[in-house]
Amino acid sequence: MSGVMKRMGMIFRAKANKALDRAEDPRETLDYSYQKQLELLQKVRRGVADVATSRKRLELQLNQLQNQSSKLEDQGRKALALGREDLAREALSRRAALQQQVTDLETQHQTLQGEEEKLTLAAQRLQAKVDAFRTKKETIKATYTAAQAQTRIGEAFSGISEEMGDVGMAIQRAEDKTAQLQARAGAIDELLASGALDDSSGLAKDDIQTELDRLSGGTDVELELQRMKAELAGGSSSQQAIEGGKDQTQSQQQPQDTPRFDKQ
Amino acid sequence: MIVRIMGEGQVRLDDGHLTELNKLDDELLAEMQSGDEEGFRRTLGALLEAVRRLGAPLPDAALEPSELILPSPEATLSEVREMLNDDGLIPG
């Protein structure tokens, strides 16, 4: 096949990773992942509640059985006191059957208690993980948003536009992408700073300002040069005055006399 | 085979239909190369219609790479030509 469909497909595949990167918003993916974690946490909590409910039900049954057991023991004692050993035997044998049930329920109770503790611990750990993820997620989102804004601004300067892309999502790409965007924003900043890209923000000096600065700088240099020349001219006259027999102090005290010495 | 119609979504097509679609696709390419705008529009419409008719649409949430890609129904000959130039579909 060499038609339009195939050629467009090939071009797309060649650019697939780039397109994927552009289309995918890691913030949405992170939020989705967080939502899933919350749902999981909710399930675990529901599990803990279910186990706790079963445990309480068992405790109630155990209490009832133990009450009955005590009652049968009392009845046995009374029957024996009344000389009814047969009745006492019956009460004690019923009590023995109840005791067996109590033992079984106690075993179940212990097992459930162990499960409940494990699940509670798991829920706490999961809660901590979800909390940590939320913090990390918000940090990544903020960094991503900032990097994206930086990139957009940078791209607007140099005329690069964001375009369409094929759709795709992958949670593990989020951090990479943020780093990439930061690097890209950093690279654009560097290009702007070096002058390789034009900065249309108006913050940087334009060529007119640079020329003005140069001219005014030049004027300063000229002025300074003239001042120094004048100083030097004054200095050489003094030197001539010293050579002519006057000391420097005298020359400084009577600078107006200098021309007269020259004439002599 | 997954075919994407840009701006519309994706459809799943049996490979058996490719021969029929290929004819239209080659025709479309020829019309694009010769600059036959009218023919291009007609063939593009026919090709899109055939893809929609023969394919089963994929849910919007499905994330599958497209093996073949078709321009949107509104795409003009020059737009498609631009998409197929060296820069590809995405600038940069």
Side-chain angles (χ1 to χ4, degrees):
Chain A
M1 185 184 292
S2 58
V4 174
M5 286 199 286
K6 184 76 176 175
R7 284 178 60 181
M8 284 183 69
M10 279 165 66
I11 290 165
F12 239 107
R13 263 192 297 284
K15 306 271 185 181
N17 281 335
K18 206 165 185 177
L20 206 65
D21 277 352
R22 282 170 183 247
E24 156 191 320
D25 189 339
R27 290 168 298 187
E28 284 175 19
T29 324
L30 286 170
D31 282 340
Y32 177 76
S33 177
Y34 178 61
Q35 199 56 42
K36 287 280 152 203
Q37 289 184 24
L38 281 183
E39 282 170 22
L40 181 67
L41 183 62
Q42 196 62 32
K43 272 186 194 166
V44 173
R45 281 187 182 150
R46 226 171 277 149
V48 177
D50 287 349
V51 173
T53 311
S54 303
R55 175 179 54 77
K56 279 181 186 160
R57 199 176 295 137
L58 270 187
E59 281 169 8
L60 283 175
Q61 283 178 356
L62 269 171
N63 274 341
Q64 281 175 358
L65 285 179
Q66 273 158 353
N67 285 342
Q68 281 181 33
S69 178
S70 305
K71 194 175 159 189
L72 283 170
E73 196 182 341
D74 285 349
Q75 284 174 341
R77 202 170 284 128
K78 278 179 190 165
L80 209 58
L82 292 169
R84 288 291 302 270
E85 198 178 323
D86 57 332
L87 265 183
R89 196 179 297 278
E90 177 61 23
L92 288 178
S93 65
R94 281 186 194 178
R95 182 177 171 270
L98 278 183
Q99 275 308 116
Q100 185 56 48
Q101 281 187 53
V102 167
T103 312
D104 290 349
L105 282 184
E106 272 172 353
T107 314
Q108 278 188 48
H109 183 259
Q110 271 174 7
T111 314
L112 272 183
Q113 214 161 21
E115 286 298 313
E116 193 183 338
E117 278 164 17
K118 269 192 233 164
L119 275 173
T120 308
L121 201 65
Q124 282 168 354
R125 280 189 189 148
L126 191 60
Q127 174 76 60
K129 276 187 184 172
V130 171
D131 286 347
F133 181 81
R134 193 189 59 216
T135 312
K136 197 173 177 188
K137 167 180 85 80
E138 291 307 321
T139 313
I140 294 173
K141 275 171 73 180
T143 319
Y144 178 80
T145 307
Q148 199 182 38
Q150 268 180 287
T151 308
R152 283 214 181 110
I153 292 163
E155 284 182 343
F157 282 150
S158 51
I160 304 163
S161 62
E162 286 280 339
E163 287 284 332
M164 51 161 293
D166 206 350
V167 181
M169 283 205 176
I171 174 79
Q172 65 271 30
R173 297 167 69 93
E175 280 185 283
D176 292 352
K177 192 165 152 56
T178 303
Q180 271 176 22
L181 276 172
Q182 279 178 318
R184 194 162 158 206
I188 289 172
D189 285 347
E190 275 174 33
L191 285 174
L192 285 171
S194 70
L197 283 181
D198 284 338
D199 183 353
S200 57
S201 66
L203 294 173
K205 283 182 180 177
D206 57 26
D207 49 352
I208 297 175
Q209 187 59 45
T210 310
E211 183 63 12
L212 279 173
D213 289 352
R214 194 183 66 76
L215 281 175
S216 73
T219 312
D220 290 346
V221 169
E222 287 302 319
L223 284 173
E224 183 71 7
L225 207 60
Q226 278 175 14
R227 196 179 58 76
M228 284 172 79
K229 274 183 186 171
E231 266 181 25
L232 270 175
S236 71
S237 300
S238 305
Q239 191 63 27
Q240 281 170 16
I242 294 162
E243 282 163 6
K246 279 269 182 186
D247 67 50
Q248 203 175 354
T249 318
Q250 201 175 2
S251 151
Q252 281 172 346
Q253 280 168 345
Q254 298 172 321
Q256 66 272 29
D257 295 339
T258 312
R260 273 191 285 135
F261 279 103
D262 283 344
K263 281 173 189 171
Q264 281 172 355
Chain B
M1 180 165 279
I2 309 285
V3 182
R4 171 180 295 275
I5 300 175
M6 289 172 75
E8 243 183 65
Q10 290 172 300
V11 296
R12 192 184 294 280
L13 268 176
D14 281 345
D15 289 356
H17 297 308
L18 280 179
T19 320
E20 181 186 345
L21 294 173
N22 260 336
K23 280 184 201 159
L24 286 167
D25 192 31
D26 288 342
E27 216 175 293
L28 189 71
L29 185 67
E31 283 155 352
M32 199 195 76
Q33 282 163 346
S34 67
D36 177 3
E37 177 85 52
E38 200 184 316
F40 173 83
R41 296 228 60 79
R42 191 179 52 242
T43 312
L44 178 61
L47 182 55
L48 294 177
E49 197 280 321
V51 170
R52 289 185 203 116
R53 176 168 45 84
L54 299 170
L58 253 69
D60 287 342
L63 297 170
E64 295 201 43
S66 316
E67 286 161 89
L68 299 172
I69 296 173
L70 272 166
S72 70
E74 297 82 28
T76 63
L77 192 148
S78 60
E79 279 169 350
V80 174
R81 196 176 273 165
E82 208 170 300
M83 281 193 272
L84 293 177
N85 73 10
D86 285 342
D87 284 345
L89 295 165
I90 299 126

